[in-house]
Amino acid sequence: MARTEIKENIYWVGAVDWDIRDFHGYSTYKGTTYNAYLCMDEKITLFDTVKGDCYDELLYHISELTDPTKIDYIVVNHVEMDHSGCLPKIIELCKPEKVFCSPMGQKALMDHFHREDWPIHVVKSGDSISLGKKTVTFLETKMLHWPDSMFSYIKEDKLLISSDAFGQHLASTERYVDEIAIGEIMTHAAKYYANILHLFAPNIQKLLAQVTELGWEIDMIAPDHGLIWRGNPEVILSAYDRWSKRETSLKALVIYDSMWHSTAKMAKAIGGAISREGVQVKMLNLAVNHRSDIMTEVLDCRALVFGSPTLNNGILPRMGDFLTYLKGLRPKGKVGAAFGSFGWSGEAVKILNEAMEVMEITVLDPGLKVKNVPVDVDFAKCKELGVKIAAAVKEMG
Ligand code: FEO
């Protein structure tokens, strides 16, 4: 079996993007892949395409297997541009008999490409098409993570082509999860889930139940990013179950930025006190931690403690950036507190408290403000705040 033949007569034909470092705010410091799959059945079928500027790589991989003009069907599991960017060129070249997509996919294709002449065939959950020896059954997965998203399941191969779900942003020459250390894969999978899918946790719970109800036998999950889960997809299915149940651990995050070290000193005093109470603490200085890495830590934490000095009657810009990002990803079921130093006006703590209220984070304390530089009496208050936070975290267990 060729390295890219993931199942008999089904091949990975995607593209590896080694250089991408930012995915609209998500730090892809290990790059990513855009996975597409070609099924060489009686109807030659391409599942998804790749980002527009990766067209040549897609075409190269397809051409190793067949003349691209022989492609009969294209399945569009998801219209976001990293998977559909080169669709116009591929359709122009292949002139496929049919392009399959979900009902919302049809709308999204029209909104993106404005082409009424494409041979679109809408498929709904439960619809199946025959490719010859293989059968594809579709499942709409609305808001995982776009309205148009869907899965394609090939029962003869027990293969689930899962679009964005179960992916990782990781560029590699390897194609399978079992070729890489599992710890590294799960770190990338958790980051991907936390930054892209956790927002839709209730939908994921419903989807996992739906897949169980359908009785689909799955021994391989082929996502549209990163490596393929073969042999034991239970590893990622159970992780998604755990994450989407919003399971947490005895853990608090101290997320802060500082101007002249006063707020940093408070952060260390608060974090130290939480830790001494037996609660795990992650100290996350926004000057050196990327927002999307912090989101991975948010996934299973119970407390979010924010620190910013006051700057121009507001908070520091990196804290503003992080709160905007966090708000969009809607953290649920957390407690929180705020702290920060100030010179003369001191609005930062109030602003942080208001931000937490908007996010429905339970604010445990009015917050701690220190004028200019903290001294012993201030550190004692930091310790008290840390003890209070730790107690709340333990109660949440
Ligand atoms: Fe990988 Fe939602 O696109």
Side-chain angles (χ1 to χ4, degrees), residues 127-378:
D127 288 353
S128 293
I129 58 169
S130 174
L131 308 184
K133 291 192 178 71
K134 299 175 194 282
T135 315
V136 187
T137 304
F138 300 101
L139 178 64
E140 293 166 69
T141 59
K142 281 181 192 170
M143 298 320 296
L144 293 173
H145 67 123
W146 273 22
D148 62 282
S149 303
M150 69 176 187
F151 286 174
S152 297
Y153 173 68
I154 301 177
K155 67 177 178 188
E156 291 81 1
D157 295 303
K158 301 179 183 173
L159 169 65
L160 180 68
I161 298 175
S162 63
S163 185
D164 276 334
F166 312 119
Q168 329 93 46
H169 282 314
L170 177 60
S172 65
T173 50
E174 292 80 8
R175 297 275 69 83
Y176 301 101
V177 163
D178 53 77
E179 296 177 300
I180 301 258
I182 191 67
E184 186 184 358
I185 283 291
M186 291 312 291
T187 300
H188 289 291
K191 180 173 176 177
Y192 183 96
Y193 174 87
N195 283 276
I196 298 172
L197 295 162
H198 192 49
L199 170 63
F200 307 110
N203 305 41
I204 290 172
Q205 277 292 304
K206 277 186 210 150
L207 177 70
L208 293 173
Q210 213 175 352
V211 169
T212 304
E213 248 172 57
L214 287 165
W216 285 354
E217 281 186 84
I218 299 169
D219 75 4
M220 180 178 282
I221 297 178
D224 275 1
H225 293 289
L227 288 89
I228 296 164
W229 305 86
R230 72 174 163 187
N232 188 13
E234 191 52 39
V235 173
I236 191 65
L237 289 169
S238 61
Y240 268 52
D241 184 40
R242 204 168 55 248
W243 292 331
S244 58
K245 281 178 179 156
R246 300 186 188 277
E247 288 182 6
T248 56
S249 58
L250 208 62
K251 176 174 159 185
L253 309 184
V254 180
I255 302 164
Y256 66 98
D257 201 354
S258 200
M259 288 167 68
W260 296 107
H261 309 299
S262 290
T263 299
K265 285 177 186 167
M266 294 173 76
K268 282 173 189 154
I270 294 165
I274 298 172
S275 173
R276 279 192 293 278
E277 293 297 308
V279 172
Q280 185 192 21
V281 175
K282 292 286 173 87
M283 300 297 295
L284 298 164
N285 182 347
L286 287 163
V288 294
N289 288 282
H290 194 272
R291 65 177 89 78
S292 57
D293 291 316
I294 297 176
M295 279 313 302
T296 316
E297 300 293 345
V298 170
L299 195 55
D300 67 341
C301 81
R302 293 183 188 165
L304 293 161
V305 190
F306 298 101
S308 172
T310 298
L311 175 72
N312 300 331
N313 308 108
I315 54 177
L316 285 185
R318 281 187 288 245
M319 181 59 81
D321 169 294
F322 180 71
L323 291 173
T324 299
Y325 193 68
L326 179 67
K327 184 180 162 203
L329 291 168
R330 292 178 217 157
K332 297 274 183 201
K334 313 283 187 196
V335 297
F339 63 95
S341 65
F342 68 101
W344 51 94
S345 58
E347 291 91 345
V349 165
K350 180 170 174 278
I351 293 167
L352 294 172
N353 282 341
E354 286 168 355
M356 283 190 276
E357 279 159 17
V358 168
M359 288 187 272
E360 298 178 17
I361 294 168
T362 305
V363 181
L364 294 172
D365 189 271
L368 199 51
K369 289 161 62 168
V370 167
K371 192 158 192 319
N372 290 120
V373 175
V375 291
D376 284 352
V377 66
D378 302 309

